[in-house]
Amino acid sequence: MLRLRMNRLENKVILITGSVTGIGKAIARRCVAEGARVLIHGLEADLGQETLAELGDGKAVLVLKDLAEEDATQLLVEKAVNAFGKLDAVVNNAAQVGLGNIHDTDAKWFRRMLEINCVVPYLLIRAALPHLREARGSVINIGSVNAWSGEPNLMPYSVSKGALMTLTRNLGDTLMREDGVRVNQINPGWVLTENEAKRKRSHGLKDDWYADLPKVYAPAGRILWPEEIASCAAWLLADECGPISGQVFDLEQHPFIGRNPPKDASTIPTK
């Protein structure tokens, strides 16, 4: 487990959705390493138990729940408070991911994407608000750089993350002013999670596709690690973040506006 000198999150209780794999799991690891106790959440019992064992006895509790179920958000809050006596922060990381464009996205799929990626985070913040208010706590919404426009075949996903970004800014202003609760968003770029690796292999790419990427997509010669997203999350959750609220942090290795013309014009499917 990651060992740090600072315990910026000492005694904090943090609820993290979608945290038995990928970015959510990396955030849970970082929070525990910095002194927090966490509620982890997911759908896969085996991955949940593995993560629970890794985080350590007494450091975490696990809830397996489909967030589309009506009682899901209230249940998560109650489980966290019952386990640890309070709730200081929420990380809305769980997301519905999938392809879709204007030609093949029906109403059911579009509504599911909006429900899981925007409505559920809103409902979880609302359910947690009495505890967050008492703690003068914080919320992080995990979005995507696709929120700014998105790729053609990620239309419903991109729209849902754009809606989440507006929710972040709206509540980041309102809740800071009225309740002392900070709300910010991280928009990860291209991150090497387990699911991303599987998706690219399913697209026909070789197992080590990420080892030789065109500089136009990966100027550093690699894409981001989940632990690098977790580093930003730890700062946003810590008191040293101060009153910063309503902000969106794009975590990518190149700008989206004003890039220099690439020397390598070759292409590879991204994000």
Side-chain angles (χ1 to χ4, degrees):
M1 179 178 291
L2 182 67
R3 297 188 181 278
L4 303 172
R5 292 182 180 178
M6 293 189 299
N7 285 328
R8 295 180 293 182
L9 305 178
E10 192 73 40
N11 296 321
K12 291 189 183 295
V13 175
I14 302 170
L15 189 167
I16 310 164
T17 64
S19 45
V20 301
T21 187
I23 291 171
K25 183 175 181 177
I27 293 173
R29 284 177 178 150
R30 184 63 179 256
C31 288
V32 169
E34 295 221 25
R37 292 166 293 170
V38 297
L39 181 142
I40 57 173
H41 156 267
L43 296 174
E44 304 90 346
D46 55 341
L47 296 177
Q49 291 300 326
E50 288 174 13
T51 304
L52 200 60
E54 180 182 338
L55 294 175
D57 191 38
K59 303 292 181 63
V61 294
L62 169 67
V63 175
L64 301 172
K65 188 73 171 176
D66 184 345
L67 293 176
E69 295 180 24
E70 189 173 346
D71 64 337
T73 55
Q74 190 63 46
L75 174 67
L76 289 173
V77 171
E78 290 175 359
K79 291 285 188 180
V81 174
N82 289 342
F84 300 120
K86 62 172 185 168
L87 180 60
D88 296 285
V90 168
V91 180
N92 279 306
N93 173 71
Q96 179 74 59
V97 182
L99 299 176
N101 57 45
I102 194 169
H103 304 293
D104 61 17
T105 300
D106 61 19
K108 183 178 180 181
W109 181 230
F110 209 154
R111 289 188 181 114
R112 168 78 182 185
M113 199 75 72
L114 290 167
E115 176 78 14
I116 299 301
N117 295 356
C118 186
V119 177
V120 165
Y122 161 73
L123 293 174
L124 185 54
I125 295 168
R126 192 167 76 164
L129 187 55
H131 305 284
L132 298 176
R133 182 187 298 119
E134 183 177 349
R136 295 187 70 83
S138 63
V139 174
I140 301 176
N141 293 324
I142 305 298
S144 167
V145 295
N146 285 288
W148 293 111
S149 176
E151 301 171 38
N153 285 324
L154 289 175
M155 185 274 295
Y157 174 78
S158 302
V159 171
S160 71
K161 291 300 188 178
L164 182 66
M165 193 159 63
T166 299
L167 178 70
T168 296
R169 289 199 166 109
N170 184 290
L171 295 183
D173 180 29
T174 302
L175 296 187
M176 186 65 203
R177 184 172 60 248
E178 296 180 356
D179 301 291
V181 175
R182 297 181 287 110
V183 184
N184 293 293
Q185 180 155 322
I186 295 173
N187 280 346
W190 200 4
V191 182
L192 186 58
T193 63
E194 302 97 322
N195 288 334
E196 178 65 0
K198 290 177 184 176
R199 274 194 293 271
K200 289 299 179 286
R201 286 196 294 269
S202 73
H203 295 164
L205 299 183
K206 58 186 180 179
D207 286 348
D208 62 344
W209 55 267
Y210 51 83
D212 185 24
L213 296 171
K215 291 288 188 178
V216 64
Y217 296 117
R222 65 169 178 87
I223 56 179
L224 302 175
W225 310 130
E227 292 77 13
E228 290 164 335
I229 309 302
S231 295
C232 180
W235 175 72
L236 286 171
L237 292 166
D239 293 340
E240 68 183 272
C241 181
I244 293 172
S245 188
Q247 304 306 307
V248 177
F249 296 81
D250 292 316
L251 301 189
E252 184 56 288
Q253 57 187 288
H254 56 75
F256 298 109
I257 299 174
R259 295 195 69 186
N260 295 316
K263 294 179 180 179
D264 183 355
S266 60
T267 60
I268 189 172
T270 62
K271 305 180 191 75

